[in-house]
Every structure is written in C-alpha cells, then in structure tokens.
Amino acid sequence: MRIMQAVYAYLSIVAVALLLNSGEVYAEQTKVESGAEKPTVLVWGDSLSAAYGIPVEKGWVSLLQAKYKDQVDVVNGSISGETTQGGLSRLPDALELHKPRLLVLELGANDGLRGLKPDVMKENLQAMIDLAKEASAQVALIGIRIPLNYGFVYTQKFEQVYVDIAEANDLPFLPFLLEGVALDFDLMQADGLHPTAEAQPKVFEHVLTVLEPVMADLVDEESEKEEAVTLVPAGAAAEG
C-alpha cells in the first residue's frame, strides 16, 4: 500500500510538471547524415522523450540512436507539454518530411493530466496510427500512468485506452515509460520531476524490452532489401 501511495504521489508531481512545461520546447529533430540512406525511426512524444532538463544527447532517444547508429536514423519529434491533439496536427508534415519506417508513439499523458475525455485521446491516438500506416510506417506504443486523485474511474479509463489501442492494432506496447525509475529519487533531477541524465540508460533499457525486437526486424528487413538489389545483374534494368 505504501509503495502504491508513493507511486501516485510521484505521478501527481509529474502531472504538475508536465502541465507547467507545456511550452514549445522542441527536442533535436535532425537526422545523422550518412553515405547511404538508412531507415528512419520517428519518436513522437512529450517532455519525457524530449530530454527535458538534461543535455539532449543524454536522453533515452539519443541512446537509441547511438545503439543503432549504423543501421537507422532516429528523429526526435517530441515536445514538452504535447497532447495527442497537438501530435496529430503535426504528424502529417513530419511523416512527409522524414518518411519514417517506424513511429514510436509516446503521447497521452497531458491529455489525462488536463482531464480530457479518454475517448478523444483514443480517437487521436488511433488517427496517428492510421496516418503512420498509410505512410507505410510501423508503430510502437509507449504509455504513461496518471495519479488516482483524478478519480479511480477516470484513471482506469485512461490506462485502458493504451491497452485497447495496442490490442486493436496489434502494436508493440510498453505500458509505463518510467517503470523502475519513478520511485528512485536518486535518479530524479533536483526539481523532483524529471529523470536525471544518469537515469536515462535505465529508461532506455526498459524501452528496449519492447523496441529491440522491432528494431531487429527493421534492420533485417533493410538488409534483405539491400541483398535483393545486389542480386540484380548490373545490366538487367537496361535490358528491360
């Protein structure tokens, strides 16, 4: 019981943090240039993915790029304070610009913290997933939890949105981004609101429990395409 109380106390603090940090704080969104074109992974989240309060290169998204730097390009389109409606409005342009093969969707927390209707959040998440699929991008879903002081019924409906969306679309799904970090105050910044730079590897390892198989499939698929192109005789296109 004490552990659960501590969890919800932390989440209450995060609720205030996310709302206060609702300005347009953009994470770095540049691709790493390479000699050959690599598949792109687009991370679409809020302050917890935008490396708020720490150097961008220390955030879990940058750690993802570092791990797969030879296989993929990672673009961080996360914004502090972002809602599903804001993410939905920005996504078409981002899909057109970056043409990602994988969309990592980490939005919804600010909808819940503002007490917005879970059904609207669900519609927005589904619309983003549909847009990604239309753009031939896979989707992985990362969830968050909100404190019980929003009411048991509301928090249950909120968390169920992620479960329903993941099941309906057969998505790789991580229910809580800050699992294993939220209760360790040594891994929190001085404001007590955001994970420190030292916490990011732990957040990253948790994310990898869902993303690693997806990334492996993406890399394997790209390798198979390159091999197929290599097997085509040099003069085949001209002869055709």
Side-chain angles (χ1 to χ4, degrees):
M1 179 62 71
R2 290 182 179 178
I3 292 177
M4 291 303 298
Q5 289 175 340
V7 170
Y8 290 119
Y10 165 76
L11 290 172
S12 296
I13 295 174
V14 170
V16 176
L18 291 173
L19 289 173
L20 290 177
N21 295 320
S22 60
E24 298 215 339
V25 181
Y26 289 77
E28 217 170 84
Q29 298 186 47
T30 54
K31 287 187 180 182
V32 177
E33 297 297 330
S34 61
E37 185 176 352
K38 294 180 287 187
T40 296
V41 174
L42 177 60
V43 180
W44 210 239
D46 52 35
S47 63
L48 297 174
S49 295
Y52 177 84
I54 62 175
V56 172
E57 65 271 15
K58 298 291 186 179
W60 75 261
V61 178
S62 293
L63 297 180
L64 181 68
Q65 174 65 85
K67 180 177 177 64
Y68 293 98
K69 63 182 179 180
D70 296 328
Q71 293 93 10
V72 305
D73 289 331
V74 175
V75 174
N76 194 352
S78 304
I79 299 179
S80 293
E82 185 66 293
T83 62
T84 58
Q85 183 59 54
L88 175 58
S89 67
R90 295 189 301 116
L91 187 56
D93 288 342
L95 292 173
E96 176 63 26
L97 175 63
H98 301 295
K99 296 178 172 56
R101 297 284 299 285
L102 172 64
L103 176 71
V104 181
L105 185 55
E106 185 266 303
L107 284 173
N110 289 299
D111 295 58
L113 300 177
R114 289 179 170 93
L116 302 181
K117 294 181 178 180
D119 286 346
V120 174
M121 169 182 150
K122 186 175 183 179
E123 290 174 2
N124 291 335
L125 287 172
Q126 185 61 59
M128 284 186 276
I129 292 167
D130 291 341
L131 286 171
K133 289 180 177 179
E134 290 170 7
S136 300
Q138 301 178 62
V139 180
L141 182 64
I142 297 178
I144 194 71
R145 294 171 184 163
I146 60 173
L148 280 177
N149 61 326
Y150 282 79
F152 179 78
V153 173
Y154 182 82
T155 56
Q156 288 295 302
K157 287 183 177 179
F158 174 84
E159 293 181 16
Q160 192 63 38
V161 165
Y162 290 111
V163 175
D164 292 345
I165 285 286
E167 290 181 353
N169 295 277
D170 193 23
L171 302 179
F173 174 46
L174 190 72
F176 184 30
L177 176 64
L178 298 182
E179 190 76 44
V181 171
L183 294 181
D184 190 339
F185 297 106
D186 289 334
L187 295 178
M188 302 303 291
Q189 293 181 37
D191 62 6
L193 306 173
H194 296 86
T196 63
E198 290 74 20
Q200 298 301 312
K202 190 166 185 177
V203 175
F204 175 54
E205 288 301 319
H206 184 48
V207 171
L208 275 186
T209 61
V210 167
L211 281 194
E212 195 162 35
V214 181
M215 297 293 285
D217 289 344
L218 183 61
V219 171
D220 289 344
E221 182 181 335
E222 195 65 21
S223 297
E224 290 174 2
K225 286 185 178 180
E226 291 177 359
E227 290 175 1
V229 171
T230 303
L231 291 175
V232 175
E239 292 173 3

